[in-house]
Amino acid sequence: MKNSNIKNNIVIYLCIILFAGVGIYLTFFAGNTKKFDRKTEAFKIEPNETYDSDDGTMYQPIYYFQVKGKEYECESKSASSSYPNKKKNKVYYQSNSPTKCLTEYDKSSSAFGGILCLIVTAVIIILMVKKPSQDSNKSNENIEANIDKQQYSEEDRQKVIDAIGKFSLIYKRVILGIIILVLLAITLFDTLLLKQTIVSKDYPEVTAEYVSTKEEHESDVFKDCIYTFTDKNGKQQEIIISISKDEQPENEVKIKYNEKDPQDYYQESSVLDKSGIIWYIVKVVAIIILIILFFNKKLLSKVNLSLQ
């Protein structure tokens, strides 16, 4: 019976981590349009019907759009039973690589799925916290004070102490689980920056100078700023950096560029410096320690977690 309860608790904790992790990823990362510096309207949306195991119709639409007269297609990464709304026809893409794109269908589906997963996580946590509060909160407040006054047998007394310890572990694991998920979300974003740092580690570093701002822009949020720099061969290169419309362009910007393709560049703010890498390692180590603590019953029982 005890082993069965332990297995059930492990399944519940894994469900919390899974749903919360998927919810955070879908809400803040999978449907995040801020990583794209352009958006445009698709001139055609193909429903792209598929069928699930129950023969239900699913849609994974393909958006067709144009950039500088060239046609591109962007296939939605998520499938849903909802027929694509032709009014929601926006495509978000990278100006230097339009094949890196996200459809508005994906954005809506990710947001809905992420919120749903987070709601499920919250419901599971509430039920876990509510159960001990209903069944034993009064006992937790009074039993320890009265345990010596009442005529309990040694066996009954041990059962009460075990119950209090069990509910204490559940509470601690819920708190630790939330901390781990928050750290994972932050570290996931840093992992993307670390990847860019590794890719650009051998790129030459130069200072690009501001020239002008384009008057026309397809986005209502961003504006295009033209910068130039001289590469290692003494050739003048021109790049486009998109910034917020409310933001003032900097006169000089440090970048690291690919010698084979100068349009492939990274700004200083999009890579990690030495201190950033150190903090990344610290966060990864902290997550590993917290996960070990989460599953180690003996260590966790010695930790004092209190909301007061």
Side-chain angles (χ1 to χ4, degrees):
M1 187 68 179
K2 187 176 180 181
N3 290 335
S4 177
N5 289 336
I6 293 173
K7 289 180 180 179
N8 289 338
N9 287 337
I10 291 174
V11 171
I12 293 172
Y13 298 141
L14 290 176
C15 286
I16 290 175
I17 294 172
L18 177 63
F19 279 108
V22 172
I24 290 172
Y25 172 74
L26 290 176
T27 304
F28 299 104
F29 295 98
N32 184 13
T33 59
K34 291 183 179 180
K35 56 186 176 183
F36 303 100
D37 58 3
R38 294 287 194 283
K39 72 174 178 178
T40 186
E41 293 184 354
F43 63 83
K44 176 185 174 184
I45 299 177
E46 183 181 313
N48 192 24
E49 296 183 7
T50 57
Y51 299 93
D52 60 17
S53 57
D54 298 324
D55 292 329
T57 304
M58 303 290 288
Y59 301 97
Q60 194 170 355
I62 301 173
Y63 284 49
Y64 296 88
F65 63 104
Q66 287 186 338
V67 177
K68 297 179 180 179
K70 188 175 180 180
E71 185 177 310
Y72 296 89
E73 62 179 63
C74 186
E75 183 176 356
S76 300
K77 296 176 180 61
S78 58
S80 170
S81 58
S82 301
Y83 190 86
N85 185 348
K86 292 187 177 181
K87 290 183 179 180
K88 295 185 177 181
N89 61 348
K90 289 184 175 60
V91 180
Y92 304 87
Y93 66 95
Q94 288 283 13
S95 57
N96 58 354
S97 180
T99 54
K100 295 178 181 178
C101 55
L102 178 78
T103 67
E104 192 168 2
Y105 189 86
D106 267 334
K107 179 186 175 184
S108 301
S109 299
S110 296
F112 176 77
I115 292 172
L116 186 62
C117 286
L118 291 176
I119 290 174
V120 171
T121 304
V123 169
I124 295 175
I125 292 174
I126 290 171
L127 290 176
M128 286 186 67
V129 175
K130 186 177 180 181
K131 183 177 179 181
S133 66
Q134 287 180 337
D135 296 341
S136 65
N137 270 3
K138 292 181 180 179
S139 298
N140 290 345
E141 294 172 0
N142 300 319
I143 288 177
E144 287 184 306
N146 299 329
I147 192 169
D148 292 328
K149 298 178 181 178
Q150 298 180 21
Q151 299 300 318
Y152 285 117
S153 67
E154 189 62 33
E155 184 179 350
D156 291 336
R157 186 179 301 174
Q158 188 60 46
K159 287 181 180 180
V160 173
I161 294 172
D162 289 342
I164 294 173
K166 178 182 176 182
F167 293 132
S168 175
L169 282 175
I170 291 174
Y171 163 74
K172 291 176 182 179
R173 279 176 170 157
V174 169
I175 299 298
L176 276 180
I178 294 172
I179 296 172
I180 290 170
L181 289 173
V182 172
L183 282 176
L184 280 173
I186 297 171
T187 308
L188 181 60
F189 176 75
D190 286 346
T191 302
L192 299 176
L193 295 181
L194 182 64
K195 181 182 177 182
Q196 294 177 178
T197 304
I198 295 172
V199 170
S200 63
K201 68 182 178 67
D202 296 325
Y203 287 4
E205 185 175 315
V206 297
T207 300
E209 296 181 352
Y210 171 73
V211 177
S212 62
T213 301
K214 284 187 175 183
E215 294 183 2
E216 296 182 0
H217 197 287
E218 297 173 359
S219 172
D220 297 328
V221 181
F222 298 100
K223 60 183 177 183
D224 289 336
C225 297
I226 302 173
Y227 284 80
T228 60
F229 67 92
T230 304
D231 64 18
K232 290 181 69 175
N233 299 320
K235 186 178 179 180
Q236 193 81 358
Q237 300 288 349
E238 182 179 284
I239 58 174
I240 305 295
I241 297 179
S242 294
I243 62 174
S244 171
K245 283 201 169 182
D246 299 328
E247 188 179 349
Q248 292 297 321
E250 297 182 25
N251 292 328
E252 294 182 345
V253 175
K254 287 186 178 182
I255 65 167
K256 299 181 77 175
Y257 71 96
N258 186 348
E259 293 181 72
K260 296 180 180 179
D261 181 13
Q263 296 301 314
D264 177 18
Y265 66 90
Y266 293 100
Q267 290 180 248
E268 189 178 34
S269 59
S270 63
V271 295
L272 295 175
D273 56 14
K274 288 184 179 179
S275 62
I277 294 174
I278 291 172
W279 275 112
Y280 175 82
I281 295 172
V282 169
K283 282 180 278 191
V284 171
V285 172
I287 289 172
I288 293 172
I289 293 173
L290 289 175
I291 290 175
I292 293 173
L293 184 62
F294 184 92
F295 288 105
N296 193 308
K297 189 175 179 181
K298 290 183 179 179
L299 287 176
L300 189 58
S301 62
K302 297 177 181 179
V303 176
N304 182 24
L305 292 177
S306 176
L307 293 176
Q308 295 181 350

